[in-house]
Amino acid sequence: MENIEISYTARYVPPEVIDNQRLTEFMDTSDEWISQRTGIKKRHISLNESTADLAEKVAEKLLIKSGWNPNSLDLIIVATMSPNSFTPATAAIVQGRISADNAVCFDISAACSGYIYGLSIVEAMLRNMNLKRAMLIGSENLSKLIDWNDRSTAVLFGDGAAGALIELKEDTNSKFISSDLKTIGNEAEFLTAGITNPLEKFPDLDSIRKYTTFKMDGRRVYTFATREVPQSILRAVQKANFSLEDIDYFILHQANSRIIRQVAKKLKQNEEKFPINIDSFGNTSAASEPLLLDELIENGIVKRGMTLALSGFGGGLTVGTHIIKY
């Protein structure tokens, strides 16, 4: 029987690092204020690289690691809430740059749940469309969506990309076990970015070009995350006929270290099973979970045969969990 395997992972972050002290130079904040409330110490910011540039770097690393011919790829998906453009899709740009001419390509927009939603899409397409190899990348350039005068959101986000090569194969013990996806659209207004303004008259060129920056009701999002993420994890674990103790690591979206600790507490699991790297990268939205996963694999913490729960949550509002045997 063919199983689905995450065969290779990779990550890339831009070289420019902005620590909390740097932010105090132009906004009313402090390292202590940011660290205590979020767990963030620094973040990477792209100065001259687009979302597609970041994703391309990951794609190139994945191909080098795997030795795969780009033409062997059947599918490329980029999860992002900060694409290069509304069209073409960032995934299509990446496909052209790496010459993966046989790959079907598109972007998905599920904000910080994007990578988890992407895993479910990849699984469905590999199983049902006679595809064998997929590349799934989360890539974000969130520094371009932020109002840098709003300390409640500006301190939270960073830029970066990460992803995986995923394949349907027979000679593997790895597998995608279960998933849970949920959207709560009646809470959509609590986290928004890039809203276009309707025209009051024509022509009104200023309105045509105007988009809103990132806005978030932090208290509402915190309540949503600490309520919905444990429930999503429990549903996915139950679908797998597992217990929480069967999960080696819970790889959660890195939005806020307090949220992650609260989820661990609600699930009555040791915090050591909930690795955190938000201190170094901030919130990288759809890149968050694959970035952490690649770091854990590179450091020898996550090993083949381990059972992982990957969970994302964010705009939509959305939440999703995927249980895999790595």
Side-chain angles (χ1 to χ4, degrees):
M1 179 179 176
E2 291 182 309
N3 286 327
I4 295 177
E5 175 185 276
I6 293 180
S7 299
Y8 301 92
T9 61
R11 67 187 187 277
Y12 173 79
V13 290
E16 184 74 12
V17 177
I18 306 296
D19 62 17
N20 292 343
Q21 187 58 39
R22 177 81 176 275
L23 298 181
T24 67
E25 298 173 8
F26 58 91
M27 70 172 67
D28 181 18
T29 190
S30 68
D31 174 56
E32 181 182 15
W33 189 89
I34 299 169
S35 298
Q36 287 185 353
R37 286 164 175 77
T38 69
I40 299 168
K41 288 288 188 180
K42 58 186 178 182
R43 72 285 294 148
H44 293 253
I45 299 297
S46 169
L47 297 182
N48 52 23
E49 293 175 295
S50 69
T51 302
D53 293 334
L54 303 180
E56 180 188 2
K57 294 282 179 57
V58 172
E60 290 172 344
K61 285 188 172 186
L62 287 169
L63 291 174
I64 289 170
K65 277 187 174 183
S66 65
W68 290 5
N69 186 316
N71 282 324
S72 72
L73 289 171
D74 301 305
L75 176 66
I76 299 174
I77 299 176
V78 172
T80 183
M81 61 178 286
S82 54
N84 275 37
S85 54
F86 296 137
T87 192
T90 304
I93 297 172
V94 172
Q95 185 234 40
R97 291 182 182 179
I98 65 173
S99 300
D101 299 337
N102 297 321
V104 174
C105 307
F106 56 90
D107 294 350
I108 58 172
S109 176
C112 305
S113 302
Y115 205 80
I116 306 305
Y117 278 49
L119 288 172
S120 291
I121 294 170
V122 167
E123 179 182 17
M125 293 184 72
L126 290 183
R127 290 202 184 281
N128 299 309
M129 295 183 64
N130 196 32
L131 307 180
K132 295 295 184 183
R133 288 179 165 179
M135 177 183 287
L136 175 62
I137 297 173
S139 185
E140 300 285 14
N141 225 327
L142 299 169
S143 60
K144 313 309 179 286
L145 295 177
I146 292 169
D147 177 358
W148 285 98
N149 295 309
D150 178 9
R151 75 167 187 173
S152 66
T153 57
V155 303
L156 300 175
F157 296 95
D159 300 335
L165 292 175
I166 303 168
E167 58 182 325
L168 188 67
K169 56 189 297 190
E170 292 183 354
D171 56 338
T172 180
N173 291 319
S174 300
K175 63 179 73 174
F176 282 22
I177 300 171
S178 68
S179 64
D180 174 79
L181 305 177
K182 183 179 180 181
T183 302
I184 307 171
N186 60 10
E187 297 185 12
E189 72 273 15
F190 298 149
L191 199 160
T192 61
I195 297 173
T196 55
N197 294 304
L199 289 177
E200 294 182 2
K201 61 180 180 178
F202 183 84
D204 184 352
L205 299 182
D206 288 339
S207 291
I208 291 172
R209 298 190 182 103
K210 193 180 296 181
Y211 305 98
T212 63
T213 53
F214 194 96
K215 298 185 186 303
M216 180 175 67
D217 185 326
R219 187 179 298 276
R220 294 273 197 164
V221 171
Y222 180 90
T223 300
F224 149 76
T226 54
R227 178 188 72 233
E228 295 294 338
V229 174
Q231 293 178 13
S232 177
I233 291 172
L234 284 171
R235 287 192 297 267
V237 167
Q238 289 167 0
K239 287 178 185 177
N241 292 318
F242 287 0
S243 71
L244 291 171
E245 285 65 34
D246 293 321
I247 308 298
D248 293 296
Y249 287 105
F250 297 85
I251 299 175
L252 269 57
H253 167 51
Q254 302 292 293
N256 185 308
S257 59
R258 293 167 62 194
I259 290 175
I260 296 170
R261 288 195 295 269
Q262 186 64 20
V263 171
K265 182 178 179 180
K266 286 195 171 185
L267 293 176
K268 298 180 180 178
Q269 296 293 296
N270 193 315
E271 285 186 15
E272 292 181 359
K273 295 175 71 173
F274 293 76
I276 293 176
N277 68 356
I278 192 174
D279 56 321
S280 298
F281 301 104
N283 181 339
T284 56
S285 190
S288 169
E289 301 95 341
L291 197 157
L292 177 58
L293 176 61
D294 182 59
E295 194 173 49
L296 293 171
I297 292 170
E298 184 178 274
N299 293 333
I301 297 170
V302 165
K303 302 178 178 67
R304 286 290 176 194
M306 285 186 170
T307 301
L308 310 174
L310 289 83
S311 191
F313 51 93
L317 296 176
T318 56
V319 63
T321 300
H322 220 92
I323 307 295
I324 68 167
K325 183 179 179 182
Y326 176 69

